[in-house]
Amino acid sequence: MNIEAQCCGLVILICLRYFYSRQRKIGLKSEMIFSSFLYITIAGLIFDILSIVVLTASIGNIPQVVIDLIGKIYIALLVCVSYSAVMYLIVDFYTNRFLNAHFLICIIMASVGSVIVFFLPIKFYVEGRVVYSYGPATIATYIFCFLAFSYMGFCIIRYGKKIPIVRRNAMLIWTAVFIISAGIQFLVPKLLLVSFAGAVGMMITYLVLENPESNIDKRFGCFNSHAFSLYLAEKYANGEKFYLSTVSMIINLDDVTYIEKAVRFFHEFLRELSVFRNIGAFKMSAPEVVIVSEDENEMQKILAFISDKAPKIAERCGLHRPIFTYMPDSTVAQNQSEVLAILETTRIEESNKYNNNEMVIIDGSAVEKVRREEEVAHIIRAALEEDRVEIFFQPIYSIKERCFVSAEVLVRIRMPDGSVLPPDTFIPVAEKNGSVLEIGKRIFQKACLFLHNNKNLEQFGFKYLEINISGVQCEQENLAAEFFDVLTISGVSPSQINLEITETASIRTKAILLKNMKWLIEKGVSFSLDDFGNGRSNLNYLSDMPVSIVKFDQTVTEQFFKKEKVHRITTDVVRMLHNLNLKIVAEGVETKDHLDAMTILGVDYIQGYYFSRPIPTDDFLKFLEAHPAPKADEYETLEAIN
Ligand code: C2E
Ligand code: CA
Ligand code: CA
């Protein structure tokens, strides 16, 4: 169990070295340290084997000084191995200013240890095939290795949170294997386990941490998003500049063959891109490829290549033109998470645009935007936690009934200083990060609580509340059931609820929305189509949406006064909607002129600043009291006058 074990260890390490050298690398510091770690371990094993050979083969023929030298080089390398393990453990601290200091300590300790070991006497025990060293040099080796492991322990305790958990665990396994084998070797010196154990530990480290699979996207053969995070982390930690460009496809869930087409596109694109040598290409989990280079000229060539080739490949694959971005100055972002957030925001934003023919330049303003979004996301989280999400009401007037029959529920965030944050500032962020689901739930609960607490509003002519639901909520399969539970608990009649939807859903989400709508309509809830006429609505949509009210966007009221053509079209649309048995709300009615025009146009309900801005609960209750429905006889008189 001596030289055979060391030879097996050597074979393992040589294989590892071979695979590692063939593997594609991003150029990270951790890769460099692992490579040295591997070389030192191999050198240690070679000298271990050599020392056994010279000791057992012919003690008399080889000068003692050579034998001592080989034995000392071996144990000095053991000291170096243990300090390279420490360096490898902490290599991801690059954000830490003290990293270089830690590296320096390791190098000094390894050098001092090696020199001391070198100058101390060494003795060898040789009996048949049993060979081991002992004496002061060997004891010093144990001491220096022990110091290295204590240092490692100190780093884990002191910087535990900064060390990625996989790295910490892998190095703990490596250390455990090493210490146990050293312990056994110390107690039973005939069992020369350390080198073999070192090789096994190295293999574990390789498989867990430097595993080629973990940085490579198997399907496309380029780097993956994990590798991209590592690349960014190191670039920002070292303050190194780089140039970045992305190519992404717009996700089209309505096309069942979309994924197949996108895979073909990225395959072809990456294959053509492979002629460029000084770049890194990363396939992200979204349909996006990120290309980085430290060479500006190379990046300019890449940009020309992308603009020329990518649209052609997309066309061949039956896809829309891809979205291109270019980040000419990586220092506008401060760290990797900012870059990732900027790329995501830009991709989502650009895919919502109709025309994206230009290369999108990611500059300081994009970064500012992402930072603001972060801030808003924080405000939303705090508001939800501290229950500062409030509802305001904007009364809706019925021309026929001459009273306020309804109100739109509009969300607000109450800031700690008492000021109020309007929804346009936070709803888009909430839709992006998903918190709109929780906001929507709270709004619905609060609206139901309002109806539960104010059962007497009918006396003023008030009938129902209009509540906005976001496109993101519409994608939830259980939306209807959740709403219905709230209605049941609060004892509110479904007929008191009208839900406002907009026309943003794709075919897939439309199917879920329709299912939810059908279910709720059966229970008695009604629906409105919001923002009609804002440029994105189309009449086809109306034909298969079971809504009972259409809400004209504010732009309709505005344009109505400005353009004669709009005037005529609106008149026709009103007639058509009435023929479809739909009621119409005109929004954004600000003046008496607006009101008169909308009345003549024939809309059914009026909402706007002319009557009231959105107001808090108490003000709304006072408003209703002050504007009750006309009494039956008054009403008849009014009817007669008209
Ligand atoms: P929206 O659904 O179109 O709501 C109408 C917006 O028009 C409200 O803005 C309202 O204050 C404003 N408005 C009403 N009358 C007038 C007027 O005469 N002149 C002008 N200039 N504006 C008027 P608000 O409350 O700031 O809400 C903005 C948008 O935020 C809403 O547009 C809606 O899309 C969204 N939102 C509001 N509350 C909620 C909510 O509870 N859930 C969701 N998902 N979205 C909401
Ligand atoms: Ca609305
Ligand atoms: Ca609206």
Side-chain angles (χ1 to χ4, degrees):
M1 163 78 206
N2 272 342
I3 198 153
E4 293 85 347
Q6 330 294 67
C7 290
C8 287
L10 190 59
V11 171
I12 292 176
L13 288 183
I14 288 171
C15 289
L16 280 192
R17 183 66 246 175
Y18 170 75
F19 287 121
Y20 193 65
S21 60
R22 292 197 40 147
Q23 174 177 327
R24 231 195 281 187
K25 298 187 191 61
I26 323 170
L28 300 176
K29 212 185 264 175
S30 61
E31 291 170 340
M32 214 177 72
I33 301 281
F34 180 77
S35 189
S36 328
F37 188 15
L38 197 51
Y39 272 127
I40 297 172
T41 314
I42 292 177
L45 247 176
I46 292 174
F47 275 91
D48 190 10
I49 294 170
L50 267 183
S51 64
I52 297 171
V53 169
V54 293
L55 283 166
T56 51
S58 43
I59 255 202
N61 300 343
I62 296 176
Q64 189 58 39
V65 55
V66 175
I67 296 172
D68 284 4
L69 186 67
I70 293 173
K72 281 181 178 178
I73 292 177
Y74 162 57
I75 53 174
L77 282 167
L78 271 189
V79 173
C80 296
V81 165
S82 48
Y83 285 95
S84 12
V86 183
M87 286 168 78
Y88 185 59
L89 172 84
I90 60 173
V91 68
D92 288 338
F93 288 12
Y94 28 68
T95 41
N96 190 319
R97 269 181 291 138
F98 301 114
L99 174 66
N100 288 341
H102 279 292
F103 269 21
L104 197 66
I105 294 174
C106 287
I107 292 167
I108 291 173
M109 287 296 281
S111 314
V112 170
S114 306
V115 170
I116 289 179
V117 161
F118 228 85
F119 285 101
L120 286 175
I122 188 167
K123 292 205 170 77
F124 296 100
Y125 175 89
V126 185
E127 199 187 284
R129 293 186 70 221
V130 179
V131 177
Y132 58 87
S133 70
Y134 63 98
T138 309
I139 290 172
T141 306
Y142 279 119
I143 291 172
F144 273 93
C145 288
F146 173 78
L147 287 176
F149 295 129
S150 311
Y151 191 16
M152 207 182 239
F154 163 77
C155 287
I156 288 177
I157 293 165
R158 177 79 176 75
Y159 304 108
K161 282 203 187 104
K162 289 190 186 169
I163 307 173
I165 199 136
V166 248
R167 183 173 300 280
R168 195 194 64 193
N169 290 349
M171 291 319 288
L172 280 177
I173 295 173
W174 183 90
T175 314
V177 171
F178 205 90
I179 291 179
I180 292 170
S181 59
I184 296 174
Q185 188 166 322
F186 188 73
L187 298 173
V188 193
K190 292 173 212 164
L191 277 178
L192 293 187
L193 275 178
V194 169
S195 295
F196 180 68
V200 172
M202 209 65 208
M203 189 171 69
I204 295 171
T205 314
Y206 173 77
L207 292 177
V208 178
L209 292 175
E210 299 296 332
N211 187 346
E213 301 290 298
S214 65
N215 286 342
I216 302 289
D217 184 297
K218 280 186 211 140
R219 184 137 53 152
F220 298 100
C222 61
F223 293 118
N224 58 16
S225 52
H226 174 247
F228 184 50
S229 302
L230 296 176
Y231 175 86
L232 289 177
E234 185 156 318
K235 289 288 151 196
Y236 280 100
N238 296 343
E240 287 163 11
K241 226 179 139 174
F242 61 92
Y243 302 91
L244 179 152
S245 174
T246 69
V247 174
S248 54
M249 292 310 312
I250 300 168
I251 298 177
N252 182 3
L253 292 172
D254 294 344
D255 176 1
V256 282
T257 58
Y258 164 76
I259 293 178
E260 241 170 70
K261 289 177 184 167
V263 167
R264 214 184 110 204
F265 168 82
F266 285 115
H267 256 302
E268 290 193 21
F269 175 71
L270 286 163
R271 201 183 53 227
E272 296 208 17
L273 190 72
S274 61
V275 293
F276 293 93
R277 290 274 152 232
N278 294 328
I279 59 158
F282 304 84
K283 173 72 184 62
M284 308 301 280
S285 33
E288 178 175 46
V289 165
V290 178
I291 303 151
V292 293
S293 176
E294 277 107 64
D295 178 347
E296 193 177 0
N297 288 333
E298 186 82 349
M299 191 42 100
Q300 289 305 329
K301 285 185 210 151
I302 296 279
L303 295 180
F305 167 86
I306 293 174
S307 311
D308 175 38
K309 289 281 168 58
K312 290 180 190 153
I313 303 173
E315 205 183 327
R316 272 211 301 277
C317 300
L319 290 165
H320 286 294
R321 190 181 186 279
I323 301 163
F324 313 133
T325 71
Y326 174 46
M327 191 170 170
D329 179 8
S330 59
T331 58
V332 290
Q334 269 171 0
N335 52 41
Q336 71 260 42
S337 18
E338 270 189 5
V339 176
L340 294 172
I342 292 165
L343 294 188
E344 197 196 333
T345 308
T346 316
R347 189 171 49 76
I348 294 172
E349 250 170 38
E350 292 304 315
S351 53
N352 287 334
K353 287 189 186 160
Y354 297 113
N355 296 316
N356 43 320
N357 291 326
E358 296 292 315
M359 172 125 349
V360 183
I361 303 292
I362 298 175
D363 53 15
S365 62
V367 184
E368 270 310 307
K369 204 163 154 235
V370 166
R371 287 186 193 142
R372 259 200 320 274
E373 276 184 11
E374 271 297 310
E375 244 168 70
V376 173
H378 177 76
I379 290 174
I380 297 173
R381 265 197 305 277
L384 281 169
E385 261 168 39
E386 293 156 21
D387 195 20
R388 285 189 280 101
V389 176
E390 291 185 10
I391 53 174
F392 274 40
F393 300 83
Q394 187 175 31
I396 297 175
Y397 182 76
S398 159
I399 295 178
K400 188 165 168 247
E401 285 151 272
R402 291 169 196 271
C403 65
F404 293 89
V405 291
S406 165
E408 177 169 359
V409 174
L410 294 156
V411 65
R412 302 286 184 265
I413 283 182
R414 178 75 60 184
M415 297 301 283
D417 66 1
S419 62
V420 162
L421 206 63
D424 289 338
T425 51
F426 63 87
I427 289 287
V429 178
E431 287 188 327
K432 216 164 106 183
N433 69 16
S435 55
V436 76
L437 292 176
E438 183 54 31
I439 295 179
K441 217 187 286 177
R442 299 271 181 102
I443 298 303
F444 194 76
Q445 283 167 348
K446 292 198 173 187
C448 287
L449 187 67
F450 170 83
L451 292 170
H452 171 85
N453 291 341
N454 298 284
K455 294 203 176 80
N456 59 341
L457 298 181
E458 230 168 293
Q459 58 173 312
F460 306 116
F462 179 84
K463 296 191 175 80
Y464 61 94
L465 280 178
E466 296 193 0
I467 305 169
N468 290 286
I469 53 174
S470 137
V472 182
Q473 284 173 280
C474 297
E475 292 171 16
Q476 302 305 110
E477 301 257 8
N478 59 348
L479 178 83
E482 233 177 62
F483 276 7
F484 192 67
D485 284 349
V486 179
L487 284 174
T488 315
I489 293 168
S490 54
V492 169
S493 157
S495 65
Q496 287 181 282
I497 303 290
N498 176 285
L499 298 174
E500 294 189 5
I501 54 165
T502 50
E503 200 176 317
T504 50
S506 73
I507 290 177
R508 190 181 65 94
T509 48
K510 206 167 136 185
I512 302 173
L513 171 64
L514 276 171
K515 219 168 107 192
N516 278 315
M517 286 176 84
K518 203 169 151 244
W519 206 86
L520 286 166
I521 289 170
E522 269 170 28
K523 305 281 175 202
V525 173
S526 63
F527 283 84
S528 297
L529 182 67
D530 200 1
D531 299 345
F532 189 82
N534 72 351
R536 276 185 223 179
S537 51
N538 83 69
L539 287 169
N540 283 342
Y541 195 82
L542 262 179
S543 59
D544 47 24
M545 273 294 147
V547 293
S548 41
I549 298 176
V550 171
K551 297 192 78 171
F552 279 0
D553 192 69
Q554 191 179 359
T555 49
V556 177
T557 315
E558 277 168 13
Q559 297 289 323
F560 188 78
F561 284 91
K562 287 188 196 147
K563 292 185 191 157
E564 176 55 26
K565 211 169 162 188
V566 177
H567 200 122
R568 270 182 282 138
I569 295 172
T570 319
T571 313
D572 285 347
V573 169
V574 168
R575 194 175 315 127
M576 186 201 70
L577 294 175
H578 279 155
N579 282 341
L580 288 169
N581 237 349
L582 297 165
K583 298 278 185 214
I584 302 162
V585 179
E587 279 191 290
V589 172
E590 292 183 345
T591 60
K592 179 77 171 66
D593 285 349
H594 286 167
L595 173 67
D596 292 344
M598 289 299 125
T599 311
I600 292 166
L601 183 64
V603 304
D604 305 273
Y605 306 107
I606 301 288
Q607 178 183 353
Y609 294 172
Y610 176 70
F611 286 121
S612 169
R613 288 181 174 256
I615 43 180
T617 311
D618 290 346
D619 293 350
F620 177 57
L621 290 172
K622 282 184 205 139
F623 181 93
L624 284 182
E625 269 172 46
H627 301 87
K631 301 260 166 16
D633 48 342
E634 279 175 40
Y635 190 79
E636 272 155 27
T637 328
L638 286 165
E639 284 284 281
I641 294 168
N642 282 310

